[in-house]
Amino acid sequence: MTMPTPTVGLAALIASLLIPLAQVVAPVVQEAWTTDMRLEVEKAIADERLALERAISSEKQREQVADILMKRYIDQDPEDQRKALAIIVGLFPRFAADLEEALARYAANETVKDAADRVVALATAVPVAAVDVARAAERAGFDALLNNDIPAARAQFNKAYTAYPQFHNVDEIRRKLDTVRPEDPSAIARVKSSIVNENAWRMPEEVRQNLLQQTQQP
C-alpha cells in the first residue's frame, strides 16, 4: 500500500487515541455485530471520532489515517490485529469497506479474517445473519467445485450472492460458473484455474491449497 507519509501532528493525534480506545473497544469487538454497544462505549467512540474528523479535513489526510491504521495491522499478531479492527469499526467505519481487501490479505489467521468480514459488514449495515449465510454457502460452493459438481457450486454461490452480494468474490465466481458446461471436464479445469488465480485472496487457505493442487496436476 503506497500512501503519503503521515504528518507528525496527525500521527501523534492518532497515536494518542489508539491505545486508550483499543482498551475501551477491544473487549466488545467480538460482540459488536451481535449486541448493541454499551452507551459509555458509544459515547467514547463518538467523542474520539469528533476530534479526529476535525483533524482529518482532506483526502490526503484520510489516506494518512488509513496508512497509520494498516501499520498497526500488517504483520501484527492476531490479538493486535483484533484491536486494530476494533479501532477501525469504532472510529473509522467508512474505512472498513475501502480497506476490505487489505484486511483480508494481511489477516494473521482465518479467525482474524472472519472478524474483518464482520467489521466490514457492520460498517456497511449488513446484517450479521447475512454474513453467516453467505460464508456457509460460499464454503459449500467451494466444496462442490472441488468435487467438480458445477450445478451444486453454482447454486451455492448464487445463494451466497443473494444473502450478501458484496461478500468476498461470490459475484465474480458465480458469473464464471455460469459459463461452464458441467459435462465438459476441460471447461471445469479452466474455471478452477481462473478462480484460484484471480479470486484467491478471499477464499479460505485450505480451499486455495486444494484448488492449487487440482489445477497444477498434469
Side-chain angles (χ1 to χ4, degrees):
M1 178 178 297
T2 302
M3 291 184 179
T5 302
T7 62
V8 175
L10 184 61
L13 172 63
I14 303 298
S16 71
L17 298 174
L18 291 178
I19 294 177
L21 189 68
Q23 293 172 344
V24 173
V25 181
V28 299
V29 69
Q30 297 296 337
E31 302 176 4
W33 38 81
T34 58
T35 62
D36 291 334
M37 288 186 178
R38 288 186 287 251
L39 291 178
E40 59 268 27
V41 174
E42 292 179 341
K43 184 179 185 304
I45 291 172
D47 290 345
E48 301 292 11
R49 182 186 293 129
L50 180 60
L52 286 172
E53 286 180 348
R54 288 173 176 168
I56 303 168
S57 58
S58 69
E59 183 63 28
K60 180 178 179 180
Q61 287 177 316
R62 286 194 288 272
E63 290 179 351
Q64 291 171 355
V65 172
D67 189 39
I68 292 168
L69 291 172
M70 291 310 299
K71 285 180 179 177
R72 291 182 58 87
Y73 185 84
I74 296 173
D75 295 330
Q76 302 301 311
D77 63 35
E79 178 62 18
D80 285 340
Q81 287 193 336
R82 185 180 68 87
K83 291 178 180 178
L85 289 172
I87 292 166
I88 291 172
V89 75
L91 276 181
F92 308 99
R94 69 180 179 275
F95 283 120
D98 293 339
L99 296 175
E100 180 183 8
E101 180 174 350
L103 295 176
R105 283 187 184 277
Y106 296 108
N109 54 35
E110 292 298 323
T111 299
V112 175
K113 190 180 292 186
D114 173 71
D117 285 341
R118 292 175 178 268
V119 162
V120 171
L122 179 66
T124 53
V126 174
V128 176
V131 180
D132 293 338
V133 170
R135 178 178 292 107
E138 178 198 51
R139 184 54 190 259
F142 280 131
D143 289 343
L145 180 62
L146 288 167
N147 290 323
N148 297 326
D149 189 343
I150 297 302
R154 185 181 296 144
Q156 290 297 331
F157 278 100
N158 282 335
K159 180 179 180 181
Y161 176 81
T162 298
Y164 184 178
Q166 292 78 34
F167 187 71
H168 293 178
N169 292 311
V170 295
D171 188 23
E172 292 179 48
I173 293 174
R174 76 188 187 97
R175 290 173 184 269
K176 290 180 178 180
L177 293 173
D178 281 343
T179 69
V180 179
R181 289 187 297 129
E183 67 278 9
D184 185 348
S186 61
I188 294 175
R190 284 195 299 271
V191 79
K192 283 183 176 181
S193 180
S194 174
I195 289 170
V196 77
N197 288 327
E198 298 173 8
N199 308 116
W201 65 268
R202 286 168 161 173
M203 67 177 59
E205 182 59 23
E206 178 186 358
V207 170
R208 189 181 74 84
Q209 291 297 330
N210 288 336
L211 276 175
L212 280 173
Q213 289 178 5
Q214 290 188 0
T215 56
Q216 291 174 355
Q217 291 177 354

